[in-house]
Amino acid sequence: MIIISRCPYRISLLGGGSDLDWFIKEKNYGICLGYSLSKYTYTVINKLPSRSKRGILNYSSREEYSNISDIAHPLIRTALEENNINDLLEISSFGFASRGSGLGGSSSFLISLLKGLALLNNNQISNYEAAYMASNIEINKLKKPIGRQDHFISSSGNISCFKFYDQNNKIDRLEIDETKYKFLTNLTKKLYLIPSYISRSADKVLHKLKDSDTAKDDLLHIRNLADNFINLEDEREHVIEESFNNCIKESWKIKQKMSGVMSGILNDQYNELNKLPLNWIRLLGAGSGGYFLISPKLDNDKIEEELRKIGIKDFFKANLSEEGSEIIHRS
C-alpha cells in the first residue's frame, strides 16, 4: 500500500505567542489568526513486504530501522508509537521549507504523517483531530516549548481563528464575520514572503522568551490586539483595513523588541526591505531567522520590480491554500 498525504505550511497574522501553554495557564486563554499557505509538506508512506528486514526513512537525513525504538527522528518515532504501527515502512518526506523557516514546518510534516498513518490503519481522521494529536505529540510527549497555532492553522485550510483555553486543553474555532473574511482573503493575494536565508531553532528562541521578565505582558498585549480586531464591529472595509494594519504593526513593534527575535543581520535585511513602499513588514515565527512577510502598497507587478531592483530574486507570493491537510493518493 502506498499513501501520499500533504499539509500546508501556515502564515500567522495576529496573536502569535499567546498560544503558548505557559502563557495560557497564566492568562486563561490565547487567540491566533492566520491562514494555510499554498506551499506543502508531502509525505509518502509505503508498507514494505513482510520479508523486509529494515524500514527506510528519508527526510533531510536517511535512516534505516528494525524497531520503532531505534528511530532517531522524534516525530516519526512518536507518531508510529501513537498509531501502534509495528510493520516496517518506507517513509519519505518532501517539503518547500526547511526546519526553522518560521512557517510551521515541523507541524506541517507531523500532520501530513499522521493523516497517512491513520489511513494505513484503515482509519480516517479529521484535520482537527490530526492537529490535536500533532500538538499533543510535540508539546506533551516531546516537551517542545511551542504553541498550538501551527498545527491548527496549517491543517485547517483557508483563513482561521482559534481560541486556546487552559481548562482541558479546550480549543475553539472562532467565526470570522463575512466582511473581515473577504478583506483577509483579498489581502492574501497581495502578500509576499522574503527569505532571510537564516535558519534557527524555534525551541531555543522560545525558551529565551519564557525566561524574559516582560514576556507575559508583551504576549498579553499581542493577544489583546488580536482580540480587538476579531471583535471589531464596524463593517466598513476601510475601517477593517486600517484596524488590521494597525494591529499588525503594533504587534510587530512588541515582538521586534523581544529577546532573541532580531539579530544584526536580520536588522540589516529588515531595514533594507522597509525602504520599499509597504503597509507593514514582519518576521514570521519565533524569530532569529526564517521569512519576512510584507504587505506592499504597490500592485504585484510594481512591487516585484522594486524587489528585483534591490537584488531580491527569491521572493514569492504568500497565497492562500483552501484545502488544508489531505490524502492525495492511495493505492
Side-chain angles (χ1 to χ4, degrees), residues 27-44:
K27 303 298 182 181
N28 300 318
Y29 72 92
I31 187 169
C32 294
L33 172 69
Y35 67 93
S36 301
L37 180 67
S38 60
K39 300 287 184 181
Y40 306 86
T41 298
Y42 292 84
T43 302
V44 182

Side-chain angles (χ1 to χ4, degrees), residues 287-307:
S288 290
Y291 284 83
F292 290 101
L293 182 69
I294 64 170
S295 171
K297 292 180 178 179
L298 304 177
D299 63 33
N300 291 347
D301 289 339
K302 289 181 179 178
I303 193 63
E304 289 180 14
E305 182 181 347
E306 291 299 316
L307 286 167

Side-chain angles (χ1 to χ4, degrees), residues 260-279:
V261 171
M262 296 293 282
S263 65
I265 296 175
L266 285 171
N267 280 316
D268 292 342
Q269 293 174 336
Y270 171 81
N271 291 332
E272 186 66 21
L273 286 169
N274 212 22
K275 294 176 183 177
L276 298 171
L278 305 176
N279 294 309

Side-chain angles (χ1 to χ4, degrees), residues 58-62 73 93:
N58 295 300
Y59 44 100
S60 56
S61 298
R62 176 185 167 89
H73 195 297
S93 175

Side-chain angles (χ1 to χ4, degrees), residues 48-62:
L48 296 173
S50 57
R51 65 179 180 275
S52 300
K53 301 297 182 183
R54 300 181 74 81
I56 302 168
L57 308 175
N58 295 300
Y59 44 100
S60 56
S61 298
R62 176 185 167 89

Side-chain angles (χ1 to χ4, degrees), residues 91-295:
I91 299 175
S92 296
S93 175
F94 309 91
F96 156 77
S98 62
R99 182 177 178 270
S101 65
L103 299 174
S106 66
S107 303
S108 170
F109 163 69
L110 182 54
I111 290 166
S112 175
L113 176 61
L114 289 171
K115 292 276 284 191
L117 292 177
L119 190 57
L120 192 69
N121 276 340
N122 295 314
N123 184 24
Q124 292 190 13
I125 58 174
S126 69
N127 287 343
Y128 184 95
E129 290 171 325
Y132 200 91
M133 185 184 300
S135 64
N136 282 335
I137 285 174
E138 292 206 75
I139 296 169
N140 296 329
K141 297 284 184 180
L142 300 176
K143 306 301 181 184
K144 293 170 72 68
I146 62 174
R148 299 176 189 270
Q149 69 159 331
D150 291 3
H151 311 86
F152 284 88
I153 292 175
S154 64
S155 68
S156 297
N158 286 310
I159 297 156
S160 55
C161 182
F162 289 94
K163 196 169 185 177
F164 306 91
Y165 300 90
D166 180 33
Q167 189 174 8
N168 299 322
N169 288 329
K170 181 184 176 184
I171 300 164
D172 286 339
R173 184 167 185 170
L174 304 183
E175 290 293 328
I176 304 171
D177 67 60
E178 186 176 349
T179 311
K180 288 196 192 79
Y181 197 91
K182 181 180 178 181
F183 161 73
L184 292 169
T185 301
N186 289 332
L187 175 71
T188 66
K189 300 173 185 177
K190 304 172 184 177
L191 300 180
Y192 282 82
L193 285 164
I194 316 293
S196 69
Y197 302 108
I198 301 172
S199 181
R200 83 288 185 266
S201 168
D203 293 5
K204 291 180 180 179
V205 179
L206 292 171
H207 275 303
K208 287 183 180 179
L209 175 63
K210 186 177 180 180
D211 294 336
S212 169
D213 293 335
T214 62
K216 291 176 186 176
D217 289 338
D218 289 339
L219 292 178
L220 181 60
H221 193 177
I222 286 173
R223 187 194 76 182
N224 290 342
L225 288 165
D227 262 333
N228 290 343
F229 177 73
I230 292 299
N231 295 318
L232 178 68
E233 294 183 355
D234 196 317
E235 295 187 356
R236 289 174 295 175
E237 290 185 15
H238 75 278
V239 174
I240 290 173
E241 180 177 8
E242 183 179 5
S243 173
F244 179 80
N245 287 341
N246 287 339
C247 288
I248 285 276
K249 287 186 281 189
E250 187 65 25
S251 294
W252 171 242
K253 284 181 183 178
I254 298 166
K255 181 179 175 181
Q256 194 175 10
K257 297 175 183 177
M258 287 181 174
S259 175
V261 171
M262 296 293 282
S263 65
I265 296 175
L266 285 171
N267 280 316
D268 292 342
Q269 293 174 336
Y270 171 81
N271 291 332
E272 186 66 21
L273 286 169
N274 212 22
K275 294 176 183 177
L276 298 171
L278 305 176
N279 294 309
W280 46 262
I281 176 174
R282 54 167 303 192
L283 186 67
L284 292 175
S288 290
Y291 284 83
F292 290 101
L293 182 69
I294 64 170
S295 171

